[in-house]
Each structure stands twice: as C-alpha cells, then as structure tokens.
Amino acid sequence: MGLDRLSMKTLQSATGCDLPKYDVAKVVPGIAHLGVGAFHRAHQAVYVDDCLAAGETEWGIVGASLRSADTRDALSPQDGLYTLAVQDASGERLRVIGSLRALLVAPENPAALVARMADPATRIVTLTVTEKAYLRNAAGDLDLANPDVAADITGLSNPRTVHGFLVAALVERRRTGVPPFTVLCCDNLPSNGETVRRLVLQFAEAVDPELSRYIEQEVAFPSTMVDRIVPATTDEDRARVSATIGLDDAWPVKTEPFMQWVVEDRFTLGRPAWERSGVTMVSDVRPFEDMKLRLLNGAHSGLSYLGLLCGRESVSEAFTDPAIRSFVDRLWAEAIPTLPKNAGLDPDAYTAALAERFSNPALVHRTAQIANDGSQKLPQRILATARTRLSEGGPVTHLMLAVAAWITCCEARGEALPSGHFTDPLDRDLGAIFAGKHSAEEAVRRIFAVAGFDAVTGEAGEGLVKTVARHLENIRQKGAQAAIELASQEGVN
Ligand code: CS2
C-alpha cells in the first residue's frame, strides 16, 4: 500500500524525524529566494527554520526556480515541507523543514515572481542560482550579448535573468514607494555581494542610467560565505527517507552535519536574528570566503577531476586514494600562503576539518556532480589563488594540475568518460577547440582565452598556460596517476 504524502495535514503522523517546533500555518514570508535547489534547502532554509522556531515568524521563505518546475512540482503538494537527512558515520538524522512557505516557477509566470519580490512584506531577496546564472563574459562583466540579458534590457515586464528579476522588482518598489529589499547572494563567487552589485548596476545602466544611480545609492548587497556539502538526492534517498518517516516525501535533501554561514551585516529592512542560530555576522566576509573557495572548493574541484580520471566516483572514494590525498595536501600547501594574514584564520584547523568532511563515509557526493561548470568555478577556486601565489614567488604546480585535469575530463567525455557525464556552459567552445587537434599548449591557450581565465591571471597567464600544458601532456602520455606523481616530485616550496 502506498504511503500518504507528506503535507501539513499528515505532518503530525511522521515518525523517526524531528518536526517543525512552530506553527507552520502562522509563518509569514519575509524572504524571496531565487534558486530553490538542494543547497538552499539544506542550508539557508535550515537557518531560517531555526529562527522560526525561536519565534521570528515573519521570516518565512518564498522559493522560486528560475528554470525548471521540478522542485515546485515535488514540494507544492507537500505544502513546501520536506525532510532534511543529515548523514555521518553514526547514521542518519531526519528533520522536517517548514520554512519554505510557497514555491514559484519563474518562467511560468515571471510577473508573479516580480510581484512577490516587490511586495512590502519581502525584505530580503536571497540567491543561489549557481555561478553560470550571473551571465558574465570572458572579462567578468555582464554579458550584454547574451540573448536573455538583451531581451530583459529591452523589455523588463517578463524577465528571464536574475538581473532582470532584481531590477524589475526594484523598479516596481520604487514606483509604489516601497523601500528596496536587501540582495543577499549565497553563491560561491568571490566577493559575491559586490560581484552581483556590479552586474546589476551594469544591467540597470543599460536600461536607464538614472535607475543605476538609484540602485547604487539605495540597495545593499552584503557579501556572504556559505558552506554545507549537499549531494544530489537519489531515488534511493527518496525511498529510504519516505520509509522511515512513514510518509511519501518526493524530494528530501541529504547533507553533512557541518554547516557554516558568514554574512556581512548590512541589511536595510532588517533581518532575522541569524546569529542566534549559529550564523557569523561580520563587517567583511572576504577572509572567510577566500579560505573557503580556495581550500574547500579548490580541493573539491581538483580531487573531482583527478578522481574522475582515476575512476573514483565519489569524493570520499577519491579522497582516500593515497595519490589523490597527497595531491590535495600539496594543493592546500600552495593555497594556504595566499590567504589573508592577520585575519584570524586558522587554515590548519580548517584543512583538518575538511579532511574529516571529505572522508564522510555516509555521504555519497559524486565527483561528476562537482565537475559541472568548471569554467565558471576554476577562476575563483584555483586561478585567483595561482595569481597571488605567483606574485609571492611560490610554485603553482598542483593548482595547475587541477586545471589540466579539468581540461582532460572535458575532452574525455564520450570516450573514457560517458558523454554528458557533466556539463559546462562552454561546452560548445570547448568542443570546437578539442576538434582542432591542437598541441597541448595551443589548446590550453585557447581555452584560457575563451573561458576568461586570462582576465583572472593577468600577466602571469603565459607562464600558467605553459605549466598547464606540461601537466596535460603528462596526463595524455602517462595517465593521471603518473601525472600526480610527477607533480609531487616538483615539491611545493
Ligand atoms: C562543490 C560545492 O559542487 C561543487 O562545486 O564544490 O557545491 C560545495 O559542496 C559547497 O560549496 C560546499 O559548501
């Protein structure tokens, strides 16, 4: 017999899980969130759930998907409720989250999302739309040639892009005399608030320069550092969680025990008392962000690409491979000296904790999932680190091996790796470069140009191209294991 669906009506009959410690029906939405994927549901929505439990009932979330209807289709019949599964060696702990109070699908009704964002009750707009949704060109500026950007600039009434939605809603608030919301970017971008602000201003400037000045003066874009490892949910997870709670949950999320959120405290219309639920409120998030992007995400990308080349399917499997583990240690040794000094960071404790997290035997985090969108991730995870490291005269061997492994993985799809194993917004350009059968150096040079890596590496670019090309040759001629071994012989000092 089939299970009843998880919903407000059935919630109290759930078993083997914690339930919301507040009256979900009484929650009022105060946050509009764009990009209501698994990460958001295992991170911000949990912090907000804690605030709701503490009595701050005016901070519920309206979650919008900018593309697919999947999350809305799964969660609307559940009244937005879903199960969070926290996994480690000791097992799995389940908790039903109630902070997501409504779900929208932007392409179905863009005006409804703009109206929600423009509603005076909405005081913060948060974003986890992934790196590629910011539609930056190779120079890192807003890609005005992108058809969606161009369409939004000429007609703001039915936006498609994240910039279009933010600007359309800010215009509407201004028109109706409602002060602007705070824009809180929660994506893994460098200085993410400042980056989104710059892109939004470029967008607004193209619509109307006066609008751009208004946003510049009136809208706050605090930066944040977000951290929690959230692998994609599988059908097995759905079945296991549903069986435990005794109700059918179409889309639970799974994650690790660790969670961290560091937020710059600049909110023009108030905010939840997040500090009470473990959020670190600061005036400058950059040191935390550099440490996270360069040590966690940099290692994640490097070990995933090398892991894929060595047949390792998950992060924990890759990380326990001695060759890859030693690669990660050496990558960390290259990256740690680039972190801000005197900022109170403790990189040794941080990497020790990362080693534990990457080894989590219960959490199956697929290397192919992390491999997605490398062209959008490597600039802030690896290349910015290399630029700083070179300016200080240190080697960048293992950082550049990560880039060579990315290129090899991209090229190997359809051959050593399944086609479509992961995707990248630059796939078409990359495919054309691979089809050209260039020398390793020429291929790397072209990839650096098309991916905008040149813009990040600046004068160091030519040297980096040569180092990546050398690793690429090693991988092509001798295989990934041998390339790791050869890199390790170069040392880190
Ligand atoms: C990962 C991140 O998929 C990826 O690229 O590196 O999603 C990572 O798991 C999170 O940033 C952890 O906070």
Side-chain angles (χ1 to χ4, degrees), residues 188 226-229 292 296-297 300 365 370 377 381:
N188 283 319
V226 295
D227 190 8
R228 195 167 210 188
I229 292 174
K292 195 257 173 170
L296 188 159
N297 296 114
H300 243 180
H365 194 191
I370 298 169
K377 294 174 175 175
R381 297 178 177 204

Side-chain angles (χ1 to χ4, degrees), residues 235-370:
D235 287 340
E236 201 186 336
D237 298 321
R238 287 184 175 84
R240 189 188 61 257
V241 167
S242 298
T244 306
I245 68 170
L247 292 169
D248 180 22
D249 183 348
W251 211 338
V253 287
K254 65 176 172 187
T255 188
E256 59 177 341
F258 181 93
M259 66 197 289
Q260 189 180 16
W261 199 8
V262 186
V263 180
E264 287 178 357
D265 202 357
R266 294 186 280 115
F267 290 77
T268 47
L269 292 180
R271 60 165 176 84
W274 273 317
E275 62 275 23
R276 286 203 307 229
S277 39
V279 178
T280 311
M281 305 301 302
V282 297
S283 57
D284 181 5
V285 90
R286 277 174 302 182
F288 298 92
E289 174 195 270
D290 281 352
M291 185 157 81
K292 195 257 173 170
L293 286 172
R294 295 178 180 195
L295 300 185
L296 188 159
N297 296 114
H300 243 180
S301 290
L303 76 82
S304 293
Y305 294 121
L306 286 169
L308 284 171
L309 297 176
C310 298
R312 309 289 174 213
E313 296 223 337
S314 70
V315 170
S316 58
E317 215 186 293
F319 195 64
T320 44
D321 174 328
I324 296 180
R325 172 65 209 256
S326 115
F327 156 81
V328 171
D329 284 337
R330 289 164 195 270
L331 181 103
W332 282 338
E334 289 175 5
I336 286 173
T338 72
L339 298 176
K341 319 281 180 295
N342 307 321
L345 301 177
D346 185 348
D348 293 335
Y350 191 77
T351 49
L354 284 182
E356 289 273 310
R357 294 171 66 194
F358 289 171
S359 315
N360 186 334
L363 199 67
V364 182
H365 194 191
R366 294 182 61 243
T367 44
Q369 181 183 346
I370 298 169

Side-chain angles (χ1 to χ4, degrees), residues 382-396 399-400 444-445 448 453-469:
I382 299 286
L383 294 155
T385 324
R387 187 190 49 205
T388 312
R389 185 78 170 128
L390 279 182
S391 71
E392 291 166 357
V396 294
L399 291 161
M400 291 305 103
V444 174
R445 186 166 292 114
F448 266 52
F453 293 177
D454 288 341
V456 182
T457 55
E459 284 176 7
E462 189 52 29
L464 294 180
V465 164
K466 288 197 156 53
T467 311
V468 175

Side-chain angles (χ1 to χ4, degrees), residues 27-92:
V27 172
V28 181
I31 299 173
H33 181 77
L34 310 190
V36 63
F39 179 78
H40 167 75
R41 294 200 283 130
H43 186 265
Q44 181 188 329
V46 179
Y47 284 109
V48 171
D49 200 66
D50 286 340
C51 293
L52 297 175
E56 295 190 274
T57 50
E58 74 281 22
W59 288 110
I61 302 170
V62 174
S65 303
L66 289 193
R67 288 145 67 116
S68 123
D70 295 0
T71 306
R72 190 275 319 273
D73 291 350
L75 299 189
S76 278
Q78 302 182 182
D79 302 315
L81 302 171
Y82 61 91
T83 316
L84 176 81
V86 178
Q87 303 181 327
D88 65 10
S90 68
E92 176 169 74

